């Protein structure tokens, strides 16, 4: 049974930092693209960042480039999202995701095979 378990969310002031972690189990990490999506209040789920299988290529949505960094440790079955200079518009539930779709579809939520349950990130003064 595949499980993705996120942790590390919380409340921070604008300009602050958080590091999200995702522990995967029941899958072989090197076979999966790993990604983070988010869903803000009243919004659709959107792509944030991805690391292609088995690792080495990284993709980001424009609004987080230069502030967020995705990384993965295939041996530990961990995926991380380092978030710096957080803004109120980053407030959302963040979801860990895994996919075996074509690389061109890495940003598409409908192509995700497994989802975590999400962790809340709130950026507010």
């Amino acid at each position: 049974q595949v499980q993705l378990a996120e942790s590390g969310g919380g409340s921070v002031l604008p300009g602050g930092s958080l590091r999200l972690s995702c522990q995967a189990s029941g899958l072989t990490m090197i076979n999966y693209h790993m990604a983070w999506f988010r869903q803000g209040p009243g919004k659709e789920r959107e792509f944030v960042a991805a690391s292609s299988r088995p690792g080495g290529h990284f993709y980001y949505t424009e609004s987080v480039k230069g502030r967020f960094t995705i990384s993965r440790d295939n041996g530990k079955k961990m995926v991380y999202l380092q978030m710096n200079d957080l803004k109120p518009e980053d407030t959302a539930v963040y979801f860990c995701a895994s996919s075996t779709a074509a690389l061109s579809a890495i940003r598409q939520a409908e192509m995700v095979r497994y989802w975590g349950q999400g962790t809340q990130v709130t950026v507010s003064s």
Side-chain angles (χ1 to χ4, degrees), residues 12-64:
V12 295
L13 296 172
S17 298
L18 283 173
R19 188 194 195 204
L20 304 183
S21 299
C22 173
Q23 175 72 66
S25 59
L27 56 73
T28 303
M29 280 269 291
I30 60 172
N31 294 334
Y32 289 84
H33 307 310
M34 299 301 296
W36 290 93
F37 288 73
R38 66 186 179 187
Q39 188 166 13
K43 298 181 179 179
E44 294 186 353
R45 194 167 298 190
E46 65 172 355
F47 170 80
V48 177
S51 169
S52 63
R53 61 186 177 187
H57 291 85
F58 307 99
Y59 307 86
Y60 298 92
T61 193
E62 193 64 33
S63 63
V64 308

Side-chain angles (χ1 to χ4, degrees), residues 78-93:
M78 294 292 297
V79 184
Y80 306 99
L81 186 67
Q82 178 66 43
M83 305 186 295
N84 298 328
D85 190 23
L86 282 160
K87 306 177 185 298
E89 52 264 39
D90 295 318
T91 294
V93 178

Side-chain angles (χ1 to χ4, degrees), residues 92-105:
V93 178
Y94 284 71
F95 297 90
C96 182
S98 63
S99 169
T100 57
L103 195 57
S104 59

